[in-house]
Amino acid sequence: MTKLQDVLDEIAGEAAGASDRGVVAHYIPELAKVDPNQFGIAVALPDGEVLTAGDAATPFSIQSVSKVFTLSLALGKLGDSLWARVGREPSGNAFNSIVQLEQEKGRPRNPFINAGAIAVADLILSGHQPREAIGEIVRFIRYLADDDTIRIDERVARSETEHGDRNASLAHFMRAFGSIEHPVDHVLGVYFHQCAIAMTCHQLARAGLYLASQGQNPLTGAQVVPAQRARRINAIMLMCGHYDGSGEFAYRVGLPGKSGVGGGILAIAPGIASIAVWSPGLDLVGNSKLGTAALEQLTRQMGWSVFGA
Ligand code: DON
């Protein structure tokens, strides 16, 4: 795997010298404080080896990358009945858009736009207090990464709660349609805390391995989700994981991926690797600018795109 390490070192070296790094998210004030001059990448392989370059050991706010894990968790609880509440089509709209929700009577297009993830948080909350549901999500991610040190950044959770009017609007709107059952502040409490989970690229790449390994976590041998479900989650990541930038990401990178406004991206090369990349500066639709460029270079040089060379 020396070629892979060489490619990662080259990518990190280029990222360190990049001048146009995008812009950090400002609508969550705590994220606006993050130094944009950071870049990390980690590749976890099914044999348990993890190769890294750059700031791969620095924790960052995973934000919407968490939606892959809450979808996996909720599907485990509810099975396919989840799809009665949330669609699985690309939205073609911004991650926090409200327009489609009215046209489609409060049923979010997919589980990765904010409205869809809020609906999934409502499902995870069933039968629990918000604190218990948050604990369940954190425990699930620790189990996936096989790492008990993973924590929530409470400052980020508070910052988002204080500036969460847009998400509160989406939640109230859905509740008016009967698409969420619990009180809005409970659902948002779960949603904001899942987004505020902090992880390193190393941890995130390990946590995603089950999606590269037919639903099985090769670190522990545990079957996290059935193989068919892993395949389907990958399909939704490919079509919806980058919001209105999903087509561009598929075109450039050619892997299932999920981005977050903290600048992280989890990408899956099925059967080959789970890849986490992080650089806080975002492009115009809210996806990591250098992270996308890094994945484009990695898939090209390694021949990892699901669409071939
Ligand atoms: O709800 C929000 O706006 C954020 N907590 C998450 C949005 C996000 O990460 C979109 N991803 N690019």
Side-chain angles (χ1 to χ4, degrees):
M1 279 298 159
T2 50
K3 176 179 177 192
L4 176 55
Q5 187 63 58
D6 289 347
V7 172
L8 296 180
D9 289 340
E10 187 186 329
I11 289 171
E14 281 176 24
S19 50
D20 185 2
R21 312 183 70 87
V23 180
V24 296
H26 277 85
Y27 74 101
I28 302 172
E30 203 59 33
L31 294 184
K33 296 181 187 166
V34 178
D35 174 7
N37 295 310
Q38 300 181 87
F39 174 90
I41 187 163
V43 177
L45 303 171
D47 66 3
E49 193 183 2
V50 183
L51 285 79
T52 65
D55 302 311
T58 305
F60 62 91
S61 190
I62 66 167
Q63 292 294 318
S64 290
V65 182
S66 64
K67 297 170 184 176
V68 174
F69 305 128
T70 52
L71 175 64
S72 302
L73 185 62
L75 281 169
K77 286 169 171 287
L78 286 113
D80 285 341
S81 67
L82 177 142
W83 301 116
R85 298 276 286 274
V86 186
R88 41 179 194 257
E89 292 292 343
S91 70
N93 282 322
F95 61 85
N96 55 6
S97 172
I98 201 166
V99 287
Q100 253 164 11
L101 261 189
E102 178 160 31
Q103 285 160 352
E104 299 180 1
K105 302 194 168 29
R107 182 173 180 263
R109 268 284 172 104
N110 67 65
F112 294 155
I113 53 173
N114 286 10
I118 291 168
V120 170
D122 181 63
L123 293 170
I124 292 175
L125 196 45
S126 294
H128 295 294
Q129 292 301 315
R131 190 182 297 272
E132 294 165 344
I134 294 164
E136 187 175 10
I137 295 167
V138 173
R139 278 194 300 279
F140 182 60
I141 292 177
R142 286 178 180 164
Y143 157 76
L144 293 176
D146 197 23
D147 188 332
D148 280 343
T149 66
I150 293 166
R151 299 256 179 288
I152 290 172
D153 185 333
E154 289 293 343
R155 283 167 312 158
V156 173
R158 207 173 312 119
S159 183
E160 203 168 345
T161 307
E162 286 164 3
H163 297 84
D165 297 312
R166 186 103 185 190
N167 285 318
S169 305
L170 295 171
H172 280 292
F173 204 69
M174 284 190 286
R175 195 153 196 269
F177 276 106
S179 297
I180 63 173
E181 287 173 356
H182 298 87
V184 163
D185 57 333
H186 287 198
V187 181
L188 290 180
V190 175
Y191 173 73
F192 290 145
H193 281 82
Q194 77 176 60
C195 290
I197 292 170
M199 294 172 80
T200 66
C201 287
H202 188 282
Q203 290 167 332
L204 187 57
R206 281 168 55 110
L209 259 181
Y210 69 106
L211 293 170
S213 310
Q214 303 202 57
Q216 193 181 40
N217 185 340
L219 303 171
T220 59
Q223 190 73 39
V224 179
V225 297
Q228 182 193 57
R229 183 165 293 157
R231 173 169 60 74
R232 289 171 166 175
I233 293 169
N234 277 318
I236 301 168
M237 289 171 74
L238 182 74
M239 299 305 293
C240 313
H242 283 70
Y243 315 104
D244 43 344
S246 297
E248 184 69 11
F249 187 82
Y251 180 87
R252 289 177 57 189
V253 177
L255 293 178
K258 182 75 211 77
S259 67
V261 287
I265 302 175
L266 173 66
I268 304 299
I272 302 172
S274 165
I275 308 146
V277 62
W278 168 61
S279 181
L282 308 177
D283 64 17
L284 292 176
V285 294
N287 302 316
S288 175
K289 187 162 184 135
L290 294 187
T292 307
L295 288 168
E296 183 177 17
Q297 194 174 333
L298 179 68
T299 48
R300 193 180 56 239
Q301 294 205 29
M302 298 304 295
W304 282 357
S305 163
V306 295
F307 304 110

